[in-house]
Amino acid sequence: MSDNVKGTYKAQSAAAQGHSAKGDTSTSVAPAEHGRKRPATKMVPVPSTSIVPERDVDKAPVLECRNLGIDFGGLRAVDDFNMMIGQTEIAGLIGPNGAGKTTVFNLLTKVYQPTRGTILLDGVDTAGMDTAKVSKAGIARTFQNIRLFNMLTVEENVRIGLHNQVKCGMWSGMFRLPRHWTSEKEFHDRSLELLDVFHMADKADVIAGALPYGAQRRLEIVRALATNPKLLLLDEPAAGMNPSETAELMDTIVHIRDTFNIAVLLIEHDMDLVMGICEGIAVLNFGKIIAKGTPADIQNNPQVIEAYLGKQDAGQGGE
């Protein structure tokens, strides 16, 4: 140990003894066996504002974000983001345009690496993971703008989602060994099984780009589910849909939760959809959460109303 370090350590020890002599119990120690000291710090419970569905209360949350944030240069795009999602919860993340919602999705999927904070997926810290690893760990997503392989068939798009479950190696594929053909059959059967859940098995050989808009949205969700996720992120899934398609989408999201027994987190501007199916909702504004709660809580929250509609002057009012 260097003289400088020894001096610092002695100074800190002397300071601590001085506080004890003055009766400062916050750093006091209690006697223990064999002459050792043990901390006498008082531990107190910390209240939590997190909520999960009652059916998930006895299980660890599928997602827990703690003080998550990211900076772009001098801009804090997301700051002190805290969120918990139950194992089978349908949760919503809403907020005005530019609030940072898609940035949060990019943080969860490691498109962006957080500047600070922690992301726990089913209790596992995702620090150091890249997009491929976090996908394999159990997070899948769709995009605000549909990103299908338009020149491939419907089935081929779904099979791409199965990439993280490949069991045969390079040599098996190159030389068409039995393991390759077994894997191919498994992927074909699994793709048709997933498509059948969404009544799209009869369109397996259709070119994806030829599908109607609503069917393309469903196909993107099926491809995401093919990765076998624990948490499905949907980025504005109702964008561009008519009321009939949106109503069908609501049924589809609930069907996904019930069939696959997974959690869903969606970004959406259609408040009828959000309030109709989301169990817990977080509201983001300027990169910070300003409200969390049930749909009823959010609808009546003054901060949320102000974020969406702007602050009303005290002198204004109806006649």
Side-chain angles (χ1 to χ4, degrees):
M1 185 181 292
S2 69
D3 291 339
N4 288 340
V5 174
K6 287 180 180 178
T8 302
Y9 178 77
K10 288 178 180 178
Q12 290 174 340
S13 299
Q17 291 172 1
H19 281 301
S20 297
K22 294 177 183 178
D24 186 350
T25 59
S26 64
T27 57
S28 64
V29 293
E33 295 179 0
H34 309 298
R36 295 175 66 96
K37 305 284 188 179
R38 64 172 181 265
T41 307
K42 182 179 180 181
M43 301 297 289
V44 297
V46 178
S48 172
T49 58
S50 298
I51 57 173
V52 295
E54 186 176 9
R55 64 180 178 275
D56 293 334
V57 74
D58 61 337
K59 299 181 284 288
V62 69
L63 179 74
E64 188 174 358
C65 299
R66 300 176 181 171
N67 309 116
L68 192 62
I70 186 171
D71 301 339
F72 296 111
L75 173 67
R76 290 202 162 185
V78 175
D79 189 33
D80 199 26
F81 182 88
N82 295 277
M83 190 178 199
M84 183 183 291
I85 299 178
Q87 286 280 345
T88 62
E89 181 179 350
I90 298 177
L93 180 61
I94 66 174
N97 286 327
K101 303 182 296 296
T102 297
T103 301
V104 169
F105 270 26
N106 287 336
L107 289 170
L108 297 181
T109 54
K110 297 309 178 84
V111 174
Y112 300 147
Q113 291 293 336
T115 304
R116 58 195 162 274
T118 305
I119 302 170
L120 299 177
L121 177 61
D122 213 12
V124 176
D125 192 342
T126 64
M129 292 187 184
D130 57 18
T131 53
K133 288 181 180 178
V134 83
S135 171
K136 199 164 187 176
I139 296 182
R141 74 175 292 182
T142 64
F143 295 86
Q144 183 176 344
N145 299 314
I146 297 174
R147 297 186 184 181
L148 295 174
F149 295 94
N150 287 327
M151 301 308 296
L152 299 182
T153 67
V154 167
E155 181 188 343
E156 286 169 338
N157 270 272
V158 178
R159 285 163 67 98
I160 288 170
L162 294 165
H163 73 281
N164 62 1
Q165 298 156 59
V166 173
K167 296 177 183 176
C168 66
M170 179 181 68
W171 297 113
S172 295
M174 286 179 63
F175 295 105
R176 298 296 192 264
L177 299 179
R179 177 67 261 180
H180 166 77
W181 296 114
T182 301
S183 182
E184 285 291 299
K185 185 179 186 308
E186 289 174 354
F187 280 16
H188 172 71
D189 292 344
R190 180 57 177 160
S191 296
L192 293 184
E193 181 184 337
L194 286 167
L195 288 168
D196 190 53
V197 171
F198 295 89
H199 311 293
M200 295 182 69
D202 60 332
K203 296 179 173 59
D205 296 325
V206 174
I207 298 299
L211 292 174
Y213 184 84
Q216 289 189 24
R217 279 283 182 196
R218 289 200 304 277
L219 176 57
E220 192 177 34
I221 293 173
V222 175
R223 185 179 62 185
L225 289 170
T227 65
N228 195 30
K230 300 171 184 176
L231 173 64
L232 176 63
L233 309 179
L234 302 177
D235 194 347
E236 295 195 33
M241 289 188 173
N242 60 43
S244 175
E245 290 172 328
T246 300
E248 184 179 353
L249 175 66
M250 292 172 68
D251 293 336
T252 297
I253 293 172
V254 175
H255 182 59
I256 288 169
R257 191 271 310 278
D258 294 341
T259 302
F260 297 92
N261 200 38
I262 63 174
V264 179
L265 173 61
L266 61 94
I267 293 171
E268 188 51 68
H269 287 291
D270 187 322
M271 288 299 103
D272 288 337
L273 186 154
V274 172
M275 299 299 168
I277 64 171
C278 290
E279 298 162 301
I281 300 172
V283 185
L284 201 64
N285 195 29
F286 295 111
K288 285 195 171 188
I289 289 182
I290 60 172
K292 287 191 288 188
T294 64
D297 296 332
I298 297 303
Q299 281 180 313
N300 298 309
N301 188 295
Q303 283 184 286
V304 176
I305 295 171
E306 181 180 326
Y308 274 96
L309 302 178
K311 190 170 184 177
Q312 300 298 311
D313 293 335
Q316 292 182 342
E319 295 180 359

